[in-house]
Amino acid sequence: MNGAVEFSLDLPELSFRAAGDSLVRRSVLPSGVRIVSEHVPGSRSLTIGYWVAVGSRDEEPGHFGSTHFLEHLLFKGTAKRTALDIAIAFDSVGGEHNAMTAKEYTCYYAKVQDKDLPMAVEVLTDMLTSSLLDPVEFENERGVILEELAMADDDPADVANERFFEAVMGDHALGRPIGGSPDTIRAATHAAVLEHYRANYRPQDLVVTVAGAVDHDVLVAAVTRSLALAGWDLSVFAPPVGRRSGAPAALSQGDPVTIVRRPLEQANILMGFPGLLATDERRVTMSVLTSIFGGGMSSRLFQEIREKRGLAYSVYSFAPGYSDAGLFGMYAGCTPAKSGQVAELMLGELHRLADNGVTADEMKRAAGQLSGASALALEDSDTRMSRLGRAEITLGEFIDLDEALRRLARVTADDVQNLAAELAAGSLSISAVGALDDDVFAAILPTFVPS
């Protein structure tokens, strides 16, 4: 492979070799179903994912929380299988199955031995196409989801993270919590979730990705057969749903400072700025910046705040990207009395990097960390399966390890410094959970009263 491979929506078949001599194949069926596989030599197992490009950001008023609700309900049984039958199917072969709802997609996945691929396809297809969405189970699952949200609300880091997204993203749909809120889950109706299901779980929405010990022809035959048995008419032509626009959204910042007061021994602090889109060509530069700044034990944040000063146990940076927005954040957990000092140090380190740049040794370490971590991650079929899904749904191109390393090698110290300066010039947002006073961050944002 030399360069990225485009995943064109109107190309019915695609096949190529990727790094490590893996074979990537892709089929776009006339019905719009997309099936992508990566055969990894020497594998005896595989990970399979059924994706739809709908997440929490896609919910309309009256449907908030429907995506997460639906994820739960698809495990509750079909006309052919009870919830217990679904669990037994995977438990009896030593497999794993689960699902994840994100801001821009939902994925139902399983990991099994290669010989159990037909079972995994049959069960996942049945779940996705033929869920009963039983009204009684709907009410039972409402209670389960409320317990899940209550558990998250007891985690101060989770609470700070949700408030941080709200602050940076403002009224953008990406600022809403993925799982909904207790109010939206209590207000959700069976009819709204059913409408959400019918509108977004169609042939043209479905992406199936498999990585590991997989034969693409066998996979395509199994998927098409199971979908047909489920009642989907695959003879009806439909183009795959288009990918999201990559045009940057105009973000309107929420409350610059948000403090959630709780009588805790430690304060959880998140602070940061708008970041890069998922498709921004500078994402690899962002990876280098994040590695140097707060990506490991040798990073600037870890060394300055934990090692030199002993002010925090956990401190790091992160930079998620989405189709039309992104953010760059810094996290630290420390005693409330040290919160103001820690926040000043984190922001000061970012400005120091923006003003003075990075060293050659830091660039070398970041390149080694990122290349090594990427190679190690690809030892797991879960990572490869997710890479296929991201390529199909978000990026529109496949980037193998060799191409990723080529792009990494082209990043310069000036690139990193310029990006740091751009981030630091943005609108700063802070969220914190703990026993904190109103003026704890006054030295950073003196004119704002916390919400």
Side-chain angles (χ1 to χ4, degrees), residues 11 33 44 50 52 68 71 105 125 138 170 197 267 290 306 315 347 366 374 380 424 434 437 443 451:
L11 184 65
V33 175
R44 295 292 301 275
Y50 277 48
V52 289
H68 184 214
E71 177 216 307
Y105 59 80
T125 298
F138 179 85
Y197 179 51
T290 304
R306 174 170 163 165
V315 58
L347 185 60
S374 297
D380 188 348
D437 296 328
S451 64

Side-chain angles (χ1 to χ4, degrees), residues 7-338:
F7 277 8
S8 173
L9 294 178
D10 57 6
L11 184 65
E13 294 290 338
L14 180 65
S15 177
F16 57 91
R17 292 282 176 183
D21 202 34
S22 70
L23 176 62
V24 178
R25 294 183 62 187
R26 175 176 179 264
S27 299
V28 180
L29 306 185
S31 60
V33 175
R34 286 164 283 171
I35 304 173
V36 193
S37 69
E38 182 178 11
H39 174 76
V40 182
S43 295
R44 295 292 301 275
S45 64
L46 57 87
T47 304
I48 178 171
Y50 277 48
W51 305 70
V52 289
V54 59
S56 59
R57 68 165 295 170
D58 302 300
E59 297 163 347
E60 299 293 335
H63 291 158
F64 292 159
S66 292
T67 306
H68 184 214
F69 221 131
L70 188 55
E71 177 216 307
H72 278 246
L73 289 172
L74 262 58
F75 287 86
K76 303 305 289 184
T78 71
K80 295 180 180 179
R81 294 175 175 83
T82 65
L84 179 59
D85 291 334
I86 293 171
I88 288 174
F90 290 100
D91 288 350
S92 62
V93 298
E96 303 170 1
H97 73 298
N98 210 329
M100 55 182 172
T101 301
K103 292 185 181 290
E104 297 192 320
Y105 59 80
T106 309
C107 180
Y108 305 84
Y109 60 93
K111 187 167 188 172
V112 295
Q113 296 180 74
D114 54 355
K115 66 184 180 65
D116 297 315
L117 173 64
M119 178 277 294
V121 168
E122 183 180 340
V123 175
L124 289 174
T125 298
D126 192 28
M127 288 171 55
L128 189 123
T129 62
S130 307
S131 177
L132 293 176
L133 301 189
D134 180 76
V136 174
E137 292 291 356
F138 179 85
E139 292 303 326
N140 288 341
E141 210 59 27
R142 190 196 304 274
V144 172
I145 295 172
L146 288 172
E147 291 296 332
E148 181 183 359
L149 295 180
M151 180 177 67
D153 195 56
D154 282 341
D155 184 337
D158 274 3
V159 175
N161 185 68
E162 295 290 6
R163 298 297 181 272
F164 181 60
F165 267 82
E166 292 173 1
V168 176
M169 299 295 180
D171 57 5
H172 192 290
L174 287 170
R176 295 199 303 262
I178 292 172
S181 68
D183 287 342
T184 62
I185 295 301
R186 291 189 187 99
T189 66
H190 181 266
V193 175
L194 182 60
E195 181 183 352
H196 186 74
Y197 179 51
R198 289 172 174 168
N200 296 291
Y201 284 63
R202 306 165 300 170
Q204 60 266 41
D205 297 298
L206 178 60
V207 173
V208 178
T209 64
V210 182
V214 56
D215 180 298
H216 187 77
D217 295 325
V218 172
L219 171 65
V220 172
V223 171
T224 54
R225 182 174 59 252
S226 64
L227 290 174
L229 289 173
W232 278 18
D233 187 352
L234 301 183
S235 67
V236 177
F237 175 80
V241 293
R243 298 186 180 100
R244 301 175 193 274
S245 169
L251 298 180
S252 176
Q253 185 184 24
D255 294 317
V257 182
T258 302
I259 295 176
V260 180
R261 291 184 181 83
R262 293 188 178 176
L264 303 172
E265 293 297 318
Q266 194 174 55
N268 288 261
I269 307 163
L270 280 161
M271 55 193 298
F273 310 86
L276 301 181
L277 277 60
T279 54
D280 194 307
E281 62 182 14
R282 296 173 296 166
R283 286 299 308 179
V284 65
T285 303
M286 179 69 90
S287 296
V288 175
L289 168 59
T290 304
S291 174
I292 292 171
F293 183 67
M297 295 178 69
S298 64
S299 68
R300 292 193 179 191
L301 287 182
F302 194 95
Q303 287 296 311
E304 184 65 27
I305 293 173
R306 174 170 163 165
E307 294 297 283
K308 292 182 182 178
R309 300 174 185 264
L311 294 174
Y313 176 75
S314 179
V315 58
Y316 58 85
S317 62
F318 57 100
Y322 304 95
S323 60
D324 59 353
L327 57 77
F328 175 79
M330 302 166 269
Y331 168 84
C334 62
T335 60
K338 300 174 183 176

